[in-house]
Amino acid sequence: MPDPAGLSARDWAEVSQQRARLYDWFATLYAAEIPEARLPAYLAGEASPVAALSALGLGTEVARLQAGFAALRGLDQPHLELAADFAQMFLLDAKAGALPYASVHDGGEARLYGPAEARMQAFLARASLAVQEEFREPADHLAVHLAVMARLAQDQAQAADIAGAARDQLAFLDEALLTWLPKFHAASEQARPRYDIYPALAGLLIAVVKLDAQFIRELAEPGVAVDAS
Amino acid sequence: MTLPRRDFLKAMAAVSGAALVGGPGLLTARSAQAQSTSVEMTDDITTWKVSGSHFGAIRAKVVGDRVVEVKPFEFDKHPTEMIEGIPGLIYGPSRIRYPMVRLDWYKNRHKSDTSQRGDNRFVRVGWDEAIDLFYEELERVQKDYGPWALHTAGVGWRSVGQMHSCGNHMVRAVGMHGRSVGTIGDYSTGAGQVILPYILGSTEVYSQGTSWEVILEESKLVVFWANDPIKNLQVGWNTETHEAYAYYAQLKDKIASGEIRAICVDPVRSKTLNYLEAEHQYINPMTDVALMLAMAHVLVSEDLYDKEFIETYALGFDRFLPYLQGETEDMVEKTPEWAEAICGVPADQIRELARLMAANRTQLVFGWAVQRQQHGEQPYWMGAILATLLGQIGLPGGGISYSHHYSSVGVSSSGAAMPGSFPLNLDPGRFPKHDNDNFQGYSNVIPISRAIDALVEPGKEIDFNGHKVRLPPYRMGIFTGHNQWHRHQDRNRMKKAYRRLETVVAIDYNWTATCRFADIVLPACTPFERNDIDAYGSYSNRGILAMHKLIDPMYNSKPDFEIFSALCRRFNREAEYTRGMNEMQWIEFLYNECAVTNVRNEMPMPPFDEFWQKGFHLFPEGKPWVRHASFRDDPEVNALGTPSGFIEIFSRKIESFGYDDCKGHPIWMEKAERSHGGPGSDRFPLWLQSVHPNKRLHSQLCESEPLRATYAIQGREPIYMSPEDAAARGIEHGDLVRAFNDRGQLIAGAHVSDNFPPGIVRIEEGAWYGPTGPEIGALDTYGDPNTLTLDIGTSSLAQAPSANTCIVEMEKFLGEAPPVTSFGGPQEVDPDGNPIETDA
Amino acid sequence: MIRKTLRATRDLFLKPSVSIGLGILVTGGFIAGAVSWQGFNTAMEQTNKEEFCLSCHTMRDNMLPELQKTVHWSNRSGVRAECQDCHVPHEFTDKIARKMQASREVWGQIVGTIGTREKFEEHRIVLARREWARMEANDSRECRNCHDYGDMDINLMRPTSQVAMRAAAERDESCISCHKGIAHHLPDLKGSHNPAFDTLVSAASSTRVQADGAYYAVLPHKIYADPGLTQEIGSLEVAAKVRMLESNADAQRVELDLWRKNKGFGRVWYSNFGLNITSAILSKEVSRDETLVSVLDTREDPATGLEWQNVKAEVWMPTDSLIDSPEEIWEIARASYNQQCSTCHRQPEEAHFGANSWPAQFGGMVGFTSMDDDTAKMVLKYLQKHSSDFIETAHGGDPTKGVIQSARP
């Protein structure tokens, strides 16, 4: 039975899987450094969903990311240089980076393991999910949020109640991610690592998330005018 | 931006064709959870876990695997607010989370571009690789150079806990591999601990003092000389009990009732002065010796000094007297008029002070900051002579103390034995893998604060305590349990010197500047992430404290015990290092060892399991005690540890060294730079004192944002100043200020206060260094006073730090101040210095 | 004649004094047994059982609980020692001799010498010494019934134990030399709480002194003016050197040849000129008494300006208190120093300071250790005697060659 909002179950399933892959792609990039073996594909522009992102209207942001990777070409041991950028952004103290935790950007004191982390722990527990033991990071790490979104999208791809699924996912996007992602984005821009990859990625991420939220919101609340922001 | 749904779907379709790689799934199904087996913690804090810290013992509420609340241990009647910084210490954003290696060093090893240190360019590595790198460097340095090239830097305040005492782990493990250059002395009492054995026969600075009950009962006058105990007693070497505060409350009452007079001789009005409502005796900075010489002159010329005491208990008065009377050295008589011009205390007031001390049972109590200046040996020596002239040494409530502000000295000791520690040495009969003790003519021990001199002037021969030291040009340094980039002076000189180091290894739990300027950074866990045992009360020996692990080590951090076990595994000596025992076995071993002694001395202790469950064991109160009383009672049998066994007003031994800057008796010597009319004061009229902080332990807890919020000004370390100096420079309370001299510059937040007279500013040490960049002379954005201090030894005798010989100028900071780079997110500030809120 | 014998025998039975009457138990047994050897054996068997030993509350209440806390009672392997395994010789004839001796103890119990805990504790050292002497005399035979060096796997021991045990195995050392206190509490060695002092006490009791030889005190000892050891005139410090003059059963006369500062009473005597290494302290009454103290030489110490005198005195002291070399003392002191003084920082090399600098350093730090006074004095003396004033190191006595790692702030 076609969804009142006008999206077929098949379309929903397809786009859900695609969204899951996209979130997964972001999650991977935030979870760890790009391994030496995989970097060449990125440098060649083959490992990023360029077409999709451009088609979403993010041509400028994509170009920025590609330019970032291009700057690595010809360098001696580019994976190390990028790993150093990754460390500066995400693994050191907050001094020169953009710590990828909700707690840090949640307002109030910038600390780790704040209420946002506890909320995420609770959420994971209720969802019968856990973070892999090897990933020794707080639960409110950006990569975890993105992995959750990928999981949600994947799990709810066959949902009969599309509006309901959309409401669930929207709730997560609005309350768990978009509350702090703008601040994280700003921090990423200020961080000034040596190469522009991670700041560019942050710009891409927030744009994608906003677009995705808009898409989902329409499905969740059919007929409600979509906010331009 | 709006995107129609159709376009969205079409765009997303392209994802299917993309060759995207997903990583290993971060999420996994949650197994049937074993609920935390810890005891349910209620609001009753006796159900909470027990642990300790330098700032006091605590109870911690742990829910699941989260520390949710920390409260003072119920025994502590005067807890300090610093324990509120503990959750921030555990969960703060400055935690080192993974082993990190500086990128350029990772690529080029010991041939790296060392001028890049501090540029924050690190890569993450796994533990195995990190330890391999550490080990390979140790091997290279021992093989290619020798033990003179490895510096195992002197440990500082570390964290409390006897089993996991990090310096012991490092020294033992590295020592099992090969020998290295060590240090002597420390940054706290470097001059005092060297001079006082010659004069009073003991280091004195770390000694138990006359019990407070005795002082309160017998003293009529207590003189706090450059001493701020109310501020400093908040922390202790072992878990601090804060018992001394109860006595200060009593002292306060006795002062109010007029029973006891208390005078604070100090350029500033200290926290102690204000708390006790004692009398303030102002003195120009760095001129204490002049004041004391004049007081001695009064005692002698007015015949108020105790001749019999000197005859029986002291030597050398006859060789000191001519100097006092102007017949030797500078040929100037040390009258009160002479002193007034230097120290700023009116001559008649000097006379009054001397007469007051002679007429009353007087307890002199010296602090440590006054010996942390050029010629820092002199004020301590002169203080001892003053006390000798008064003749009250060894009397209840009389004499002199150099330690009552430290770790509750003055609270009588229970007499119980405290737990020992994880061994620092190799086991008997064992030798290092590289059993090479050829230091090629260089010294294998150097005065701790000359460690940078060794890099700047390698091979230089310096005097030290009667001997020659040849500074080794070490190539590799291992830093743990301290923050070298906080405690050492003259930051820019240090920056330059550091470039000579090929390899720097730092082990810590926070990204201090020492870690940022390192090559291999290993994340240790905090003391709250491991089990341990501590003495409760460094001098009162009040009890033994369990330090229950609150949570598992966070991120990829590890206890130092595991880090160094892994290192020893590389050369197959792990079993020797650990003696085959794990953490709890060690703790139980240390407990039982001291139990044997205590049982023998009729202080029974419960079996270990019972103790561990309860979390602590207390001993009965000790008996009152008077310092130097046994010497006074029988100076022959209970001789002092001086060369003669007596108090040495004149020291032939020191005279025999032939040092210009430390002679056979105390001498007033002008300083390299001094405010209030001294050298350099025309260009830099302000004396910068960098005392121990009020809300930190040195640099520990500086990373705690909540604590910093209670004292920082515009996110910077406060610079305290007088209203006059502020007004003269158009500075108002809350402004940003640039303080500078020829050695460096920093930004700090102006804190205008009546407690500070003109010509004196204060920045508390331990402020985290945050330069705008790695270049020499970079502006420090947070306010580390050691950006400005002078790096010279106090004299040829002690070669100790001279941090308080420092003059500066300051001006209001105009324009856009660079963000603080020491910690926290980079914060943009507007021209008025207000943080800009960042919004997408 | 026979009547005399009979009366004597009757007295024996009816009027026991401690020294003679203790024969009653065993004698009685013998007499009974003379009639029936079987009965004797039974008696032997009975008194050889743990229950017999424990039938006296002194043993049951004192010795048993102590034993139960040790590895000889409860251990991984479940092999346990009963009273007789250690305390009753396994060879038959020895058993009887031992029983004769032990009758004293049983008697002591009966007459109350050791009837209460306090009395037992006071008497413990006598009992302990007797057992130690017995075990030393038979080369720890009872221990060796179960423990054999040849069957030990030293590598399974803790590293610190391995060092000691290898050496012991090489020497075929008698177990009791070191393992005193392994099954029961040690007696209070009158102020010496450090169990290491036991080895020194043992060594002293087995040292045969000879006239004119040089000896060293193993513990602080009082010194006396008279051979009856009643007029106390001072004390001798640990490792103080004396020259033996004469030795009796209970006391020995020794000569002190030391230095003192000619100030005040001059009653602290030092081992070397100009060095504050205390060897003896005389009381105020006798220190200036020229009949006891002779001054041989006077010299000014340029390091301090004080006048020093070389002084001699002959004093009496108890026997079994001297050994012929200080090395064993230094070994113990060295071990204590290394262990106690490295809790917070690396301990300085002994030669890092001069003899007159050590008291100041030591005094400032000893409070942080758990050394009792006697051990502390011994360690200080060790440090002074191995200070830069005595040791020519490879670095030519430069004390900055010691390794120090200070962990103090």
Side-chain angles (χ1 to χ4, degrees):
Chain A
M1 166 177 125
D3 182 274
L7 192 68
S8 73
R10 207 194 79 183
D11 281 345
W12 171 251
E14 255 180 43
V15 77
S16 292
Q17 270 152 12
Q18 288 148 5
R19 290 168 60 241
R21 284 189 76 203
L22 194 54
Y23 276 112
D24 214 21
W25 178 78
F26 278 111
T28 305
L29 285 170
Y30 278 108
E33 302 87 333
I34 299 178
E36 185 174 7
R38 274 201 223 133
L39 189 59
Y42 282 92
L43 296 190
E46 288 158 11
S48 310
V50 175
L53 293 170
S54 303
L56 282 174
L58 304 176
T60 320
E61 291 83 344
V62 166
R64 186 180 168 195
L65 181 70
Q66 298 292 73
F69 279 119
L72 286 176
R73 288 189 212 128
L75 284 186
D76 169 47
Q77 305 195 76
H79 72 287
L80 285 180
E81 299 292 333
L82 194 55
D85 266 14
F86 183 91
Q88 180 189 335
M89 295 290 289
F90 310 129
L91 300 183
L92 299 187
D93 63 337
K95 165 191 147 77
L99 290 183
Y101 309 103
S103 299
V104 170
H105 305 277
D106 221 10
E109 37 180 270
R111 78 167 214 188
L112 272 54
Y113 288 92
E117 200 272 344
R119 274 199 305 272
M120 199 59 192
Q121 285 275 16
F123 171 82
L124 288 171
R126 271 204 308 276
S128 284
L129 288 172
V131 181
Q132 292 279 15
E133 268 240 30
E134 296 81 52
F135 189 67
R136 301 190 61 83
E137 291 283 344
D140 64 338
H141 192 286
L142 178 57
V144 175
H145 286 83
L146 297 171
V148 166
M149 270 313 296
R151 190 69 172 244
L152 269 179
Q154 187 68 38
D155 286 354
Q156 295 184 323
Q158 312 298 332
D161 175 13
I162 293 174
R167 272 195 297 277
D168 285 346
Q169 294 184 28
L170 182 66
F172 189 83
L173 283 174
D174 273 345
E175 290 162 33
L177 206 43
L178 282 169
T179 45
W180 61 280
L181 209 52
K183 288 212 177 96
F184 170 72
H185 173 220
S188 299
E189 291 291 356
Q190 273 169 15
R192 309 241 184 290
R194 195 160 293 187
Y195 301 95
D196 200 32
I197 288 147
Y198 290 105
L201 188 67
L204 263 177
L205 174 65
I206 192 161
V208 166
V209 170
K210 281 185 175 163
L211 283 173
D212 194 48
Q214 178 209 328
F215 169 70
I216 288 295
R217 194 182 318 277
E218 229 198 9
L219 291 170
E221 306 152 15
V224 174
V226 175
D227 198 303
S229 62
Chain B
M1 166 175 145
T2 323
L3 195 68
R5 181 188 297 170
R6 187 178 43 251
D7 293 339
F8 185 87
L9 291 173
K10 204 157 144 212
M12 292 307 293
V15 172
S16 297
L20 299 185
V21 181
L26 277 185
L27 302 174
T28 174
R30 184 178 290 255
S31 55
Q33 277 304 339
Q35 277 305 328
S36 170
T37 49
S38 61
V39 173
E40 178 67 31
M41 292 185 205
T42 68
D43 282 339
D44 174 11
I45 69 167
T46 60
T47 62
W48 296 10
K49 289 196 174 180
V50 173
S51 192
S53 69
H54 290 299
F55 340 112
I58 60 167
R59 288 276 190 184
K61 187 174 186 185
V62 181
V63 176
D65 59 353
R66 200 71 68 234
V67 177
V68 298
E69 204 178 341
V70 166
K71 279 206 171 126
F73 180 48
E74 56 270 22
F75 178 83
D76 190 339
K77 301 291 175 266
H78 297 89
T80 164
E81 73 180 285
M82 282 194 227
I83 60 169
E84 289 161 33
I86 288 177
L89 184 161
I90 301 173
Y91 296 115
S94 293
R95 283 292 296 265
I96 305 172
R97 309 208 289 287
Y98 301 93
M100 306 288 280
V101 181
R102 189 166 64 88
L103 175 59
D104 196 59
W105 193 92
Y106 189 69
K107 296 205 289 197
N108 299 310
R109 302 291 185 98
H110 58 280
K111 298 206 171 76
S112 77
D113 179 359
T114 56
S115 71
Q116 289 178 22
R117 281 202 189 105
D119 70 350
N120 260 342
R121 210 148 164 75
F122 289 87
V123 290
R124 163 166 59 171
V125 299
W127 269 108
D128 279 339
E129 191 176 0
I131 300 291
D132 283 339
L133 290 171
F134 187 7
Y135 179 65
E136 281 159 26
E137 276 303 287
L138 288 176
E139 284 281 291
R140 178 186 71 84
V141 166
Q142 292 289 351
K143 286 188 189 145
D144 293 357
Y145 298 124
W148 58 266
L150 176 63
H151 181 42
T152 40
V155 178
W157 268 76
R158 92 264 204 262
S159 297
V160 303
Q162 294 293 94
M163 188 266 151
H164 286 286
S165 194
C166 60
N168 291 17
H169 288 273
M170 186 271 281
V171 171
R172 177 174 166 87
V174 174
M176 281 167 60
H177 180 263
R179 297 203 171 74
S180 59
V181 174
T183 57
I184 181 170
D186 55 54
Y187 280 82
S188 294
T189 64
Q193 61 175 264
V194 170
I195 183 76
L196 289 173
Y198 292 100
I199 317 305
L200 290 176
S202 144
T203 45
E204 292 290 323
V205 290
Y206 297 127
S207 299
Q208 175 63 291
T210 301
S211 304
W212 270 112
E213 300 99 309
V214 176
I215 296 176
L216 290 168
E217 189 60 40
E218 306 287 344
S219 305
K220 288 283 164 284
L221 174 64
V222 179
V223 178
F224 293 100
W225 201 297
N227 197 353
D228 197 357
I230 298 295
K231 165 171 67 76
N232 293 337
L233 287 167
Q234 295 179 80
V235 299
W237 175 250
N238 300 103
T239 298
E240 181 50 38
T241 58
H242 302 123
E243 294 167 283
Y245 281 108
Y247 295 105
Y248 280 88
Q250 293 179 40
L251 179 60
K252 183 181 165 75
D253 288 340
K254 294 210 172 206
I255 292 169
S257 70
E259 252 178 272
I260 295 183
R261 269 181 86 168
I263 299 177
C264 292
V265 180
D266 199 325
V268 315
R269 299 182 64 86
S270 66
K271 193 174 180 187
T272 301
L273 172 79
N274 290 330
Y275 168 77
L276 292 175
E277 291 181 71
E279 301 163 45
H280 183 214
Q281 176 54 62
Y282 169 80
I283 179 177
N284 283 341
M286 297 193 251
T287 62
D288 307 78
V289 173
L291 174 58
M292 286 190 267
L293 281 168
M295 288 171 68
H297 188 275
V298 173
L299 292 174
V300 170
S301 60
E302 294 186 15
D303 210 22
L304 295 172
Y305 71 108
D306 194 332
K307 297 186 190 64
E308 208 189 307
F309 181 84
I310 291 178
E311 180 61 40
T312 316
Y313 297 99
L315 292 186
F317 178 64
D318 50 324
R319 292 195 62 183
F320 169 66
L321 191 55
Y323 172 70
L324 206 58
Q325 292 172 332
E327 291 157 20
T328 60
E329 296 286 337
D330 57 10
M331 311 302 274
V332 174
E333 199 176 347
K334 306 299 179 289
T335 61
E337 283 70 19
W338 162 83
E340 176 179 344
I342 298 170
C343 69
V345 181
D348 283 336
Q349 180 63 14
I350 296 177
R351 291 190 172 88
E352 277 313 306
L353 267 174
R355 290 170 192 155
L356 186 67
M357 289 189 196
N360 290 287
R361 182 63 57 85
T362 302
Q363 177 69 58
L364 297 168
V365 193
F366 274 68
W368 291 346
V370 74
Q371 51 90 56
R372 234 179 272 125
Q373 61 168 306
Q374 189 184 20
H375 312 134
E377 300 89 344
Q378 307 294 315
Y380 272 23
W381 194 344
M382 199 52 220
I385 292 179
L386 205 57
T388 305
L389 291 171
L390 292 172
Q392 299 176 21
I393 292 178
L395 288 178
I400 184 165
S401 157
Y402 301 90
S403 60
H404 268 80
H405 61 284
Y406 173 63
S407 299
S408 286
V409 162
V411 178
S412 317
S413 171
S414 68
M418 293 287 105
S421 68
F422 186 83
L424 180 154
N425 288 317
L426 276 63
D427 288 337
R430 301 297 197 179
F431 296 92
K433 177 186 175 193
H434 294 272
D435 193 4
N436 175 11
D437 64 355
N438 180 5
F439 283 79
Q440 308 219 346
Y442 296 115
S443 300
N444 68 342
V445 175
I446 57 175
I448 195 172
S449 66
R450 299 302 103 220
I452 296 302
D453 285 358
L455 296 173
V456 175
E457 297 174 275
K460 179 178 177 191
E461 201 174 62
I462 61 172
D463 287 312
F464 171 64
N465 209 5
H467 307 285
K468 297 284 186 197
V469 170
R470 208 162 152 238
L471 298 174
Y474 53 96
R475 302 267 193 261
M476 175 175 178
I478 307 174
F479 300 85
T480 189
H482 66 281
N483 187 357
Q484 184 70 2
W485 285 74
H486 126 69
R487 68 184 185 185
H488 196 77
Q489 283 62 56
D490 199 343
R491 203 54 76 234
N492 285 306
R493 179 172 191 258
M494 201 174 147
K495 233 181 200 177
K496 214 158 140 199
Y498 241 58
R499 292 176 180 179
R500 295 195 181 226
L501 282 170
E502 291 173 1
T503 301
V504 178
V505 179
I507 304 132
D508 206 319
Y509 58 77
N510 265 333
W511 276 104
T512 61
T514 298
C515 294
R516 271 190 260 113
F517 281 82
D519 303 312
I520 300 175
V521 180
L522 302 178
C525 64
T526 70
F528 307 103
E529 293 154 59
R530 54 195 187 203
N531 289 304
D532 213 330
I533 186 171
D534 200 19
Y536 190 47
S538 305
Y539 290 90
S540 63
N541 293 15
R542 172 64 57 238
I544 300 180
L545 198 71
M547 290 176 64
H548 297 139
K549 170 155 77 163
L550 302 184
I551 56 175
D552 284 330
M554 295 187 59
Y555 315 107
N556 222 354
S557 69
K558 285 184 192 292
D560 305 73
F561 185 43
E562 282 184 39
I563 297 173
F564 287 104
S565 294
L567 179 69
C568 290
R569 211 174 295 147
R570 295 312 190 263
F571 53 107
N572 289 321
R573 288 170 75 162
E574 184 184 0
E576 177 189 335
Y577 171 74
T578 65
R579 289 196 193 157
M581 293 199 277
N582 64 24
E583 176 193 71
M584 284 312 296
Q585 286 169 326
W586 268 105
I587 292 170
E588 187 168 349
F589 169 69
L590 293 175
Y591 178 85
N592 288 332
E593 247 193 345
C594 83
V596 168
T597 309
N598 284 328
V599 165
R600 211 172 247 138
N601 292 331
E602 269 142 52
M603 275 182 283
M605 283 165 53
F608 178 74
D609 289 329
E610 199 184 304
F611 154 77
W612 190 254
Q613 222 263 326
K614 185 174 178 199
F616 60 94
H617 178 73
L618 300 177
F619 295 106
E621 281 184 19
K623 299 199 188 33
W625 181 79
V626 176
R627 181 150 192 83
H628 299 128
S630 56
F631 167 67
R632 190 187 185 97
D633 179 52
D634 193 331
E636 295 177 57
V637 173
N638 304 316
L640 295 179
T642 56
S644 62
F646 299 95
I647 299 171
E648 298 204 3
I649 295 173
F650 185 98
S651 167
R652 289 196 183 199
K653 188 94 192 270
I654 296 181
E655 184 195 39
S656 73
F657 299 153
Y659 298 147
D660 280 334
D661 49 13
C662 195
K663 299 195 173 178
H665 60 74
I667 292 191
W668 159 250
M669 289 177 275
E670 187 56 88
K671 309 295 166 225
E673 53 190 74
R674 185 171 68 86
S675 59
H676 294 82
S681 55
D682 47 341
R683 288 184 64 217
F684 301 112
L686 306 170
W687 176 56
L688 172 65
Q689 67 162 201
S690 45
V691 294
H692 186 275
N694 186 31
K695 295 200 184 185
R696 295 189 289 264
L697 164 62
H698 295 298
S699 74
Q700 292 188 32
L701 290 183
C702 193
E703 72 277 13
S704 168
E705 310 234 3
L707 264 185
R708 256 198 347 272
T710 64
Y711 61 84
I713 290 187
Q714 290 201 48
R716 326 278 166 158
E717 187 69 13
I719 176 169
Y720 297 88
M721 62 184 77
S722 66
E724 297 86 343
D725 287 328
R729 293 162 178 77
I731 297 171
E732 282 177 8
H733 182 91
D735 282 346
L736 283 185
V737 160
R738 184 180 81 104
F740 59 93
N741 58 22
D742 288 334
R743 291 182 289 269
Q745 46 170 350
L746 59 83
I747 300 184
H751 186 124
V752 181
S753 160
D754 282 331
N755 286 327
F756 292 82
I760 293 160
V761 295
R762 166 189 291 189
I763 303 179
E764 292 171 348
E765 43 94 341
W768 280 25
Y769 181 54
T772 48
E775 65 278 7
I776 310 285
L779 179 67
D780 174 48
T781 61
Y782 180 70
D784 174 7
N786 277 321
T787 315
L788 306 174
T789 51
L790 179 60
D791 185 12
I792 58 171
T794 48
S795 78
S796 305
L797 189 77
Q799 296 286 9
S802 304
N804 285 321
T805 297
C806 178
I807 49 178
V808 302
E809 177 54 285
M810 65 178 174
E811 64 189 16
K812 178 168 167 158
F813 192 91
L814 301 167
E816 196 179 310
V820 173
T821 60
S822 313
F823 28 54
Q827 237 186 345
E828 275 197 317
V829 288
D830 65 16
D832 291 328
N834 302 312
I836 297 176
E837 280 309 297
T838 50
D839 240 87
Chain C
M1 173 73 171
I2 294 194
R3 187 184 293 154
K4 231 173 164 184
T5 314
L6 271 173
R7 191 185 302 142
T9 321
R10 185 196 62 188
D11 285 347
L12 192 71
F13 275 62
L14 298 176
K15 284 202 286 193
S17 70
V18 172
S19 47
I20 299 178
L22 295 176
I24 194 171
L25 244 136
V26 181
T27 328
F30 258 126
I31 290 172
V35 171
S36 157
W37 190 248
Q38 183 58 38
F40 177 74
N41 274 348
T42 307
M44 278 298 285
E45 284 307 303
Q46 286 303 116
T47 58
N48 217 38
K49 286 211 174 82
E50 192 176 56
E51 300 97 77
F52 174 76
C53 306
L54 297 179
S55 64
C56 289
H57 75 87
T58 302
M59 288 295 136
R60 196 183 57 244
D61 295 341
N62 293 311
M63 289 285 134
L64 180 61
E66 291 171 16
L67 176 66
Q68 284 171 327
K69 289 192 184 118
T70 75
V71 54
H72 279 97
W73 176 271
S74 170
N75 52 58
R76 268 189 321 216
S77 52
V79 177
R80 166 161 107 67
E82 296 190 343
C83 315
Q84 66 274 17
D85 291 318
C86 298
H87 291 289
V88 183
H90 293 226
E91 291 251 347
F92 186 84
T93 45
D94 282 342
K95 262 190 199 170
I96 300 175
R98 174 77 184 105
K99 284 300 166 73
M100 297 281 298
Q101 279 185 323
S103 312
R104 275 193 289 189
E105 276 133 31
V106 179
W107 179 254
Q109 168 72 36
I110 292 171
V111 299
T113 316
I114 51 175
T116 64
R117 174 88 182 159
E118 292 69 31
K119 284 188 192 167
F120 179 78
E121 285 295 347
E122 278 205 22
H123 205 60
R124 190 196 281 265
I125 188 160
V126 175
L127 302 173
R129 286 224 161 106
R130 192 182 301 149
E131 279 306 286
W132 293 338
R134 192 180 60 77
M135 290 176 175
E136 266 149 25
N138 71 12
D139 199 26
S140 300
R141 180 170 35 192
E142 283 83 36
C143 311
R144 294 180 195 267
N145 264 300
C146 295
H147 298 280
D148 185 324
Y149 282 117
D151 299 331
M152 285 178 197
D153 187 348
I154 297 199
N155 294 313
L156 291 179
M157 301 177 189
R158 282 190 304 208
T160 34
S161 309
Q162 288 185 30
V163 176
M165 285 304 290
R166 279 205 184 92
E170 266 164 48
R171 294 195 301 260
D172 197 28
E173 183 78 51
S174 177
C175 317
I176 198 63
S177 303
C178 301
H179 287 284
K180 294 184 174 72
I182 198 160
H184 304 293
H185 289 173
L186 288 167
D188 178 8
L189 294 169
K190 300 295 173 238
S192 321
H193 298 289
N194 184 344
F197 280 110
D198 297 345
T199 36
L200 295 177
V201 169
S202 296
S205 16
S206 55
T207 299
R208 306 250 174 285
V209 297
Q210 288 174 333
D212 224 31
Y215 297 96
Y216 301 83
V218 297
L219 286 177
H221 274 291
K222 300 233 185 306
I223 51 182
Y224 303 84
D226 62 314
L229 306 183
T230 60
Q231 301 163 35
E232 194 186 312
I233 54 170
S235 62
L236 210 57
E237 294 295 304
V238 67
K241 182 174 169 187
V242 304
R243 185 163 76 89
M244 180 59 56
L245 297 174
E246 68 173 285
S247 183
N248 304 334
D250 300 306
Q252 44 201 12
R253 190 164 61 93
V254 300
E255 180 190 74
L256 307 178
D257 181 354
L258 302 166
W259 287 85
R260 72 175 181 194
K261 295 169 192 169
N262 191 14
K263 187 173 160 84
F265 289 98
R267 67 193 192 101
V268 179
W269 290 18
Y270 304 99
S271 63
N272 300 76
F273 169 76
L275 299 182
N276 300 327
I277 306 176
T278 307
S279 279
I281 299 175
L282 269 57
S283 66
K284 289 180 185 170
E285 291 78 26
V286 307
S287 60
R288 289 287 186 190
D289 181 349
E290 278 158 24
T291 59
L292 211 79
V293 174
S294 17
V295 177
L296 303 176
D297 188 16
T298 301
R299 231 194 284 173
E300 189 193 84
D301 175 16
T304 58
L306 285 172
E307 188 180 88
W308 285 62
Q309 294 174 330
N310 179 208
V311 282
K312 269 194 185 176
E314 290 175 12
V315 303
W316 288 89
M317 61 185 291
T319 52
D320 289 349
S321 54
L322 303 169
I323 48 176
D324 54 24
S325 155
E327 282 315 314
E328 214 172 321
I329 301 173
W330 301 148
E331 272 225 32
I332 292 170
R334 187 176 302 124
S336 289
Y337 176 58
N338 285 339
Q339 198 226 336
Q340 292 275 352
C341 301
S342 64
T343 301
C344 304
H345 61 89
R346 275 146 143 170
Q347 75 283 12
E349 262 186 29
E350 292 80 343
H352 186 97
F353 294 106
N356 284 351
S357 301
W358 265 119
Q361 301 299 320
F362 195 73
M365 290 283 127
V366 70
F368 298 112
T369 69
S370 61
M371 286 194 262
D372 59 84
D373 283 342
D374 285 336
T375 306
K377 284 192 183 136
M378 178 181 65
V379 172
L380 176 58
K381 190 146 198 182
Y382 161 76
L383 293 169
Q384 290 181 296
K385 282 288 191 179
H386 293 79
S387 66
S388 59
D389 284 298
F390 291 90
I391 305 282
E392 268 303 308
T393 65
H395 315 283
D398 182 344
T400 57
K401 297 312 185 228
V403 176
I404 293 184
Q405 186 78 11
S406 176
R408 283 278 151 177

